[in-house]
């Protein structure tokens, strides 16, 4: 009997999903919980041959570094010692903390010791904001589990393993790139390794609020719809309170611990001009969680994007998760405020967080500052489209991203891909992600950075078949940099579907701050300025254009950019240098956005 490849692919996806379902469910809104920070200095061991994991036959060793073994006598042979090894800061990447590790891709072992006084009727979890890329986690020599994906959170319960004194938490972090991974081998950003975001212990009652989703019902301005998920507690009462909106609603969980809710509320809706956040309290028995949630509607109508029922133009910029002044992976609230305040200075009401989920400080502070967000997973360039394990990995990262940020008013777009080559397998892969995004969150829009092509020397067409399944079309183009000179934009015409909104999700060119010359000299600020001037005139002519996110706010590290004295392993397309200096093109775009604001866009 012949079995189609599609059937095999589907069966493998079911199997992989079943395995993933055995992982502990993610606890959301860590800021609203009782936590103990494990941030700070961690001991580390650099392990390029993975000697701490495999024996000399390359079989997993039962006595690896995760045992944290100590000599019991002077004759004992133990060839590692965390306590006398070097240390690194967590959160933080290893590349920017130790010059020896700048280009390092491989395994580093992390160890943190802590004491913990157990409490009656309390459960304890260890929560990681992110670890890039593959993390194996151990407590007191016992494996808690594994997580794959460098930009999404995960947690493990440690209630039965934790002890009062001398706990040791060990994490094996491996940032090697793999062809079947997400992202795959080839990217245009630095592969920062390590425990790059906060690590916390989270205390919860025996029965606790695991997750919840509270947003305006799609198409409504005054009805909140959603659910509250308890940790497998059926038949229990939950209460939702929004005191400022005079809301107090109750419901009872079903056999799976889930309570669905729907209720009317008179609300002051969130927007960039009015980033209103309500204090929301959720209670269930001994547990309660407090959050700050904004309520707003995001829809499309023809080529328009509607925020709270009114057309809006997305004045944006792309941002990488890199600290422009300190260097290395951005992670802190200060990092987020700096990057987003620079975007506001530029005139932005919107940012594209490329090319992976950024740390939660970015979306939380975007909520506060009134900046709309395009949130993306790293399905980037050339993924293994026909590999079911790659698809399951991408879907899991999408689910973890949506789970973390689904109550953030700022997030208006989930993006499933960037610059992926057209093929039948690719469309099937991405449609599966689009469908899953809509199942998990029916209130937001779905997009991707699509492909485009020339039909003649002066006509660009956006007809990527993926566009049929998206709410908003995205498109990257580099006319004037990789595609001709800036003047080429003057005669260029665009053929774009007129029934959906379009965001030009990337355009730009490189300039080294302080390097000057004529407008036709590459790498100068004048060339970048000239490119922006021609681009903006061209983009104004696209009837369905409803937003743009030029590439990029700041210069960032990339191993693909080795040109000495110009790039030095930096992508120089930033409007701001890695030292915070504004280039000439910054002011060109700033003036353009001011014009749009005056026009009411």
């Amino acid at each position: 009997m012949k079995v189609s490849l599609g059937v095999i692919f589907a069966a493998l996806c079911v199997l992989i999903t079943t395995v993933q379902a055995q992982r502990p469910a993610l606890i959301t809104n860590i800021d609203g919980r009782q936590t103990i920070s494990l941030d700070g200095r961690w001991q580390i061991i650099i392990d390029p041959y993975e000697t701490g994991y495999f024996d000399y036959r390359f079989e997993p060793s039962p006595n690896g570094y995760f045992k944290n073994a100590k000599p019991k006598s002077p004759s004992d042979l133990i060839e590692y010692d965390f306590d006398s090894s070097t240390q690194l800061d967590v959160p933080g990447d290893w590349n920017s903390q130790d010059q020896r590790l700048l280009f390092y891709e491989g395994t580093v072992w992390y160890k943190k010791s802590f004491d913990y006084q157990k409490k009656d009727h309390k459960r304890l979890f260890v929560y990681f904001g992110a670890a890039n890329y593959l993390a194996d986690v151990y407590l007191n020599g016992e494996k808690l589990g594994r997580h794959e994906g460098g930009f999404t959170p995960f947690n493990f319960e440690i209630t039965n393993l934790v002890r009062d004194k001398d706990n040791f938490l060990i994490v094996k972090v491996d940032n090697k790139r793999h062809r079947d991974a997400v992202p795959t081998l080839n990217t245009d950003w630095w592969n920062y390794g390590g425990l790059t975001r906060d690590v916390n212990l989270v205390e919860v009652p025996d029965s606790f609020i695991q997750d919840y989703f509270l947003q305006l019902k799609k198409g409504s301005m005054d009805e909140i719809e959603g659910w509250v998920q308890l940790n497998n507690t059926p038949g229990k009462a939950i209460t939702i309170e929004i005191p400022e909106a005079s809301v107090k609603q109750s419901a009872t969980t079903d056999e799976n611990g889930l309570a669905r809710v729907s209720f009317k509320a008179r609300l002051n809706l969130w927007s960039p001009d009015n980033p209103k956040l309500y204090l929301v309290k959720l209670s269930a028995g001994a547990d309660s969680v407090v959050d700050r949630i904004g309520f707003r509607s995001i829809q499309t109508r023809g080529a328009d994007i509607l925020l709270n029922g009114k057309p809006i133009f997305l004045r944006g910029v792309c941002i990488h998760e890199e600290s422009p002044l300190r260097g290395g992976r951005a992670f802190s609230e200060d990092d987020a405020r700096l990057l987003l305040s620079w975007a506001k200075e530029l005139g932005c009401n919107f940012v594209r967080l490329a090319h992976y989920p950024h740390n939660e400080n970015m979306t939380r502070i975007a909520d506060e500052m009134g900046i709309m967000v395009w949130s993306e997973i790293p399905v980037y360039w050339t993924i293994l489209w026909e590999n079911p394990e790659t698809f399951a990995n991408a879907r899991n990262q999408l689910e973890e991203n949506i789970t973390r940020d689904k109550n953030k008013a700022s997030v208006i777009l989930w993006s499933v891909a960037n610059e992926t080559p057209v093929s039948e397998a690719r469309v099937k892969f991405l449609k599966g992600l689009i469908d899953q995004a809509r199942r998990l969150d029916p209130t937001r829009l779905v997009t991707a950075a699509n492909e485009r092509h020339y039909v003649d020397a002066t006509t660009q067409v956006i007809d990527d078949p993926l566009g049929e399944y998206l709410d908003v079309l995205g498109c990257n183009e580099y006319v004037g940099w990789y595609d001709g000179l800036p003047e080429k934009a003057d005669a260029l015409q665009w053929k774009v579907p007129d029934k959906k909104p379009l965001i030009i999700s990337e355009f730009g060119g490189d300039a080294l701050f302080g390097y000057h010359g004529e407008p036709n000299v590459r790498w100068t600020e004048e060339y970048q300025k000239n490119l922006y001037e021609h681009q903006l005139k061209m983009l104004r002519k696209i009837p369905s254009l409803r937003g743009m996110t030029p590439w990029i706010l700041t210069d960032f590290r990339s191993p693909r950019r080795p040109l000495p004295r110009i790039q030095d392993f930096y992508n120089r397309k930033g409007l701001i240098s890695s030292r915070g200096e504004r280039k000439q093109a910054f002011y060109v775009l700033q003036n353009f956005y001011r014009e749009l604001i005056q026009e009411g866009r």
Side-chain angles (χ1 to χ4, degrees):
M1 180 180 68
K2 291 185 177 180
V3 181
S4 72
L5 288 176
V7 171
I8 295 173
F9 184 94
L12 284 171
C13 285
V14 170
L15 175 61
I16 294 164
T17 301
T18 302
V19 172
Q20 290 179 340
Q22 296 170 3
R23 296 175 183 164
L26 194 63
I27 301 173
T28 56
N29 184 19
I30 295 304
D31 274 10
R33 313 279 180 164
Q34 184 67 41
T35 61
I36 300 168
S37 175
L38 294 182
D39 292 350
R41 301 293 280 175
W42 288 51
Q43 283 88 21
I44 64 116
I45 297 174
I46 304 166
D47 188 14
Y49 277 23
E50 299 198 303
T51 305
Y53 190 78
F54 296 107
D55 64 19
Y56 78 111
R57 302 293 189 193
F58 216 67
E59 296 291 335
S61 170
N63 295 304
Y65 292 174
F66 56 87
K67 289 293 188 183
N68 191 32
K70 304 294 180 185
K72 295 178 181 177
S73 72
S75 61
D76 278 357
L77 177 61
I78 296 176
E79 297 184 276
Y80 69 96
D81 180 19
F82 278 105
D83 295 338
S84 60
S85 295
T86 190
Q87 297 181 350
L88 291 177
D89 287 327
V90 173
D93 60 273
W94 64 57
N95 314 76
S96 64
Q97 295 189 62
D98 187 333
Q99 187 63 31
R100 298 173 302 164
L101 300 175
L102 178 61
F103 286 91
Y104 180 68
E105 294 184 314
T107 287
V108 172
W109 294 81
Y110 286 76
K111 171 186 169 278
K112 183 74 168 181
S113 297
F114 65 94
D115 299 333
Y116 177 77
Q117 188 65 46
K118 287 189 176 183
K119 301 176 179 67
D120 292 338
H121 308 296
K122 289 285 187 180
R123 297 166 66 181
L124 189 67
F125 290 76
V126 59
Y127 179 98
F128 297 85
N132 189 35
Y133 167 77
L134 189 65
D136 292 278
V137 185
Y138 305 83
L139 181 66
N140 300 331
E142 299 295 326
K143 187 163 187 176
L144 302 178
R146 166 175 283 193
H147 181 267
E148 183 173 2
F151 305 98
T152 49
F154 57 99
N155 52 239
F156 300 102
E157 184 166 8
I158 59 174
T159 307
N160 296 327
L161 286 176
V162 73
R163 54 201 188 202
D164 292 343
K165 294 286 185 181
D166 302 323
N167 294 282
F168 56 92
L169 179 66
I170 292 178
V171 189
K172 174 184 178 289
V173 185
D174 182 357
N175 74 329
K176 287 193 296 291
R177 292 163 295 126
H178 297 278
R179 182 70 184 91
D180 60 352
V182 180
T184 186
L185 292 170
N186 198 11
T187 68
D188 190 16
W189 68 83
W190 209 262
N191 186 23
Y192 288 113
L195 297 176
T196 56
R197 297 179 188 164
D198 296 323
V199 182
N200 284 286
L201 300 177
V202 184
E203 289 182 342
V204 292
D206 289 334
S207 172
F208 68 96
I209 298 167
Q210 182 97 44
D211 193 6
Y212 52 91
F213 183 39
L214 295 173
Q215 291 285 280
L216 283 181
K217 181 179 179 181
K218 191 172 183 67
S220 175
M221 304 292 175
D222 63 357
E223 184 175 358
I224 296 174
E225 189 174 69
W227 46 264
V228 179
Q229 176 69 61
L230 300 193
N231 189 257
N232 296 323
T233 308
K236 190 156 191 171
I238 62 100
T239 302
I240 299 170
E241 297 175 77
I242 311 177
E244 193 176 350
S246 301
V247 168
K248 186 172 183 178
Q249 293 286 323
S250 298
T252 303
T253 60
D254 63 15
E255 66 275 11
N256 297 312
L258 181 70
R260 297 192 179 276
V261 295
S262 180
F263 51 89
K264 295 278 190 177
R266 296 185 64 182
L267 297 166
N268 189 352
L269 299 184
W270 184 97
S271 72
D273 294 329
N274 178 46
K276 173 65 179 174
L277 301 176
Y278 284 92
L279 188 71
V280 178
K281 182 178 180 181
L282 301 97
S283 305
D287 195 24
S288 64
V289 179
V290 174
D291 205 346
R292 295 173 69 216
I293 300 177
F295 298 97
R296 54 95 195 95
S297 169
I298 191 74
Q299 296 175 278
T300 62
R301 182 180 61 205
D304 284 333
I305 298 172
L306 306 178
L307 177 67
N308 301 328
K310 298 178 181 178
I312 191 165
F313 190 90
L314 304 178
R315 308 183 307 272
V317 71
C318 290
I319 300 178
H320 257 305
E321 191 185 47
E322 187 159 306
S323 176
L325 302 181
R326 185 188 68 246
R329 181 66 71 205
F331 57 80
S332 70
E333 184 174 318
D334 287 343
D335 291 334
R337 289 195 185 279
L338 180 66
L339 290 166
L340 293 175
S341 67
W342 286 356
K344 289 276 279 191
E345 178 190 347
L346 190 57
C348 295
N349 61 9
F350 176 62
V351 292
R352 180 188 181 202
L353 301 184
H355 283 296
Y356 38 76
H358 288 214
N359 68 87
E360 193 171 357
N361 285 315
M362 288 292 282
T363 50
R364 186 181 296 112
I365 292 169
D367 269 12
E368 296 176 11
M369 294 177 67
I371 299 176
M372 295 173 286
V373 169
W374 163 319
S375 181
E376 188 161 301
I377 58 171
V379 176
Y380 181 88
W381 288 358
T382 312
I383 298 289
L384 286 185
W385 306 113
E386 297 183 4
N387 185 340
E389 292 186 4
T390 302
F391 174 78
N393 183 349
R395 184 175 60 189
N396 185 62
Q397 293 187 44
L398 176 69
E399 291 171 356
E400 290 174 340
N401 188 33
I402 293 175
T403 297
R404 192 194 73 179
D405 279 350
K406 62 184 175 298
N407 291 306
K408 305 290 198 307
S410 55
V411 179
I412 62 169
L413 288 163
W414 301 121
S415 174
V416 298
N418 177 74
E419 288 184 0
T420 52
V422 175
S423 72
E424 183 178 345
R426 168 263 202 174
V427 172
K428 180 179 178 181
F429 185 109
L430 296 181
K431 185 178 183 302
L433 296 180
I434 293 165
D435 291 344
Q436 183 67 352
R438 291 197 175 116
R439 279 192 292 268
L440 293 171
D441 180 8
T443 71
R444 288 176 174 82
L445 306 175
V446 182
T447 191
N450 293 325
E451 293 292 273
R452 79 286 181 280
H453 62 91
Y454 283 95
V455 292
D456 57 48
T458 60
T459 307
Q460 284 259 30
V461 175
I462 299 176
D463 58 0
D464 189 329
L466 184 66
E468 175 186 348
Y469 308 106
L470 299 172
D471 299 305
V472 176
L473 304 178
C475 177
N476 299 350
E477 53 87 9
Y478 283 95
V479 175
W481 188 252
Y482 300 118
D483 182 5
L485 298 176
E487 292 75 16
K488 183 175 181 178
D490 297 345
L492 198 61
Q493 301 296 315
W494 287 80
K495 288 189 175 180
V496 182
D498 59 3
K499 295 182 179 179
K500 289 188 178 183
L502 170 68
I503 298 173
I504 294 296
S505 39
E506 291 181 31
F507 68 87
D510 289 69
L512 177 66
F513 176 81
Y515 181 43
H516 297 290
E518 294 300 316
N520 62 347
V521 178
R522 295 262 181 179
W523 312 108
T524 63
E525 288 192 53
E526 286 76 12
Y527 188 104
Q528 188 188 48
K529 175 177 179 286
N530 187 39
L531 184 153
Y532 267 76
E533 289 170 343
H534 286 280
Q535 272 278 335
L536 296 174
K537 290 177 184 177
M538 177 190 73
L539 295 179
R540 270 194 176 274
K541 300 175 186 176
I542 302 176
S544 61
L545 186 72
R546 294 299 182 270
M548 60 179 70
T549 50
W551 191 262
I552 188 169
L553 182 65
T554 66
D555 292 349
F556 62 95
R557 283 193 181 274
S558 171
R560 292 173 54 86
R561 311 291 174 168
L563 183 63
R565 295 181 298 280
I566 296 292
Q567 294 171 314
D568 294 319
F569 296 105
Y570 275 87
N571 186 311
R572 298 292 185 188
K573 293 184 181 67
L575 296 166
I576 302 175
S577 79
S578 59
R579 297 183 299 273
E581 301 144 325
R582 277 72 172 154
K583 303 176 190 177
Q584 293 179 17
F586 178 95
Y587 300 104
V588 173
L589 184 62
Q590 184 186 63
N591 289 334
F592 178 73
Y593 282 164
R594 286 173 177 171
E595 291 174 9
L596 293 182
I597 292 169
Q598 291 173 356
E599 296 168 9
R601 302 177 72 184

